[in-house]
Amino acid sequence: MRPIWNGTISFGLVNIPVGVYSATRSERLAFHFLHEKDMGRINNVRICQVCGQEVPYDDLVKGYEYEKGEYVALSEEDFEKAAVETSKNISIMDFVEVEEIDPMFFDTPYYLVPGKNADHAYIILRETLKQSEKAGIARVAFREREHLAAVKPHGRALMLDIMHFPEEITPASELELPAEKTSVKEKELKLAEQLVDSMTDKFDPKKYKDTYREELEELIEKKLKGKPVRVKTAMRKPTTNVVDITALLQKSLKASGKKTKAPTGHRKTSSKAKAA
């Protein structure tokens, strides 16, 4: 596997050469538009709205629309100049408690792999972050923009978690959400807690499958073998806005078939809260 980016992690006067590698991969099936008549592949055609002619890819430039129909063009050199300070550097600005970071800020994870002769410094940073339970908040520029990022330990690896900037997060206050104090009955809360307890298990990511993709792959295999394809449709009964939550919780508990645990009557607290 080749790195998608090479640079350094810097904090204080310490610089650690690293390569950035993708930590995720897409398993989605790719589809293309075809001409139904002859199954020919349909290509996107780049047509200029001014001259009406097809434009080769090499003749394209990126432009910012500063007014309706008015653009300023930017070259690749312009993008490189804008990111010159951080183009090859993951610059850690602060170290913060990991639990202080709202998960909503995290976007895309990457692996950080030490460069030549950088193993020792890499291990020191990794183990320090593990023991302190902290993350380094950094800025880094790649793929034509500057990003906020967190440098975190993950097993034997250091991770670069690309983050959203605050202005990219939609505040929940903009949504119509139920009030904090609503007429919830104690019985309903206890039933809900029992249901959660009965469904509680160890997290095992291997348990969860992309059933939609599996169904599509099976359907494609049948089509390739010339078998007729029958589409299964699930009929759902219409629901109303009025729901008897108590009855639903009781039915769910019964259907789970698991032995229910007595409600604890209190919520878990963090280790820090306990220590306090």
Side-chain angles (χ1 to χ4, degrees), residues 188-202:
E188 294 171 338
L189 288 175
K190 287 183 178 180
L191 283 169
E193 186 174 348
Q194 286 179 336
L195 178 57
V196 170
D197 285 342
S198 72
M199 297 176 64
T200 298
D201 204 348
K202 294 288 186 181

Side-chain angles (χ1 to χ4, degrees), residues 138-154:
R139 59 177 183 174
V140 57
F142 66 95
R143 293 185 171 175
E144 299 181 354
R145 62 160 292 187
E146 184 174 80
H147 300 271
L148 189 66
V151 177
K152 304 185 299 181
H154 183 77

Side-chain angles (χ1 to χ4, degrees), residues 177-224:
L177 301 172
E180 290 184 11
K181 295 181 179 179
T182 57
S183 56
V184 176
K185 299 176 182 177
E186 186 65 24
K187 180 180 179 181
E188 294 171 338
L189 288 175
K190 287 183 178 180
L191 283 169
E193 186 174 348
Q194 286 179 336
L195 178 57
V196 170
D197 285 342
S198 72
M199 297 176 64
T200 298
D201 204 348
K202 294 288 186 181
F203 176 65
D204 179 8
K206 295 180 181 179
K207 286 172 53 178
Y208 311 106
K209 305 293 183 181
D210 185 349
T211 55
Y212 177 68
R213 178 174 60 85
E214 290 177 351
E215 287 284 344
L216 281 178
E217 289 177 338
E218 183 180 342
L219 187 147
I220 290 169
E221 282 296 318
K222 288 180 179 179
K223 277 185 169 286
L224 289 173

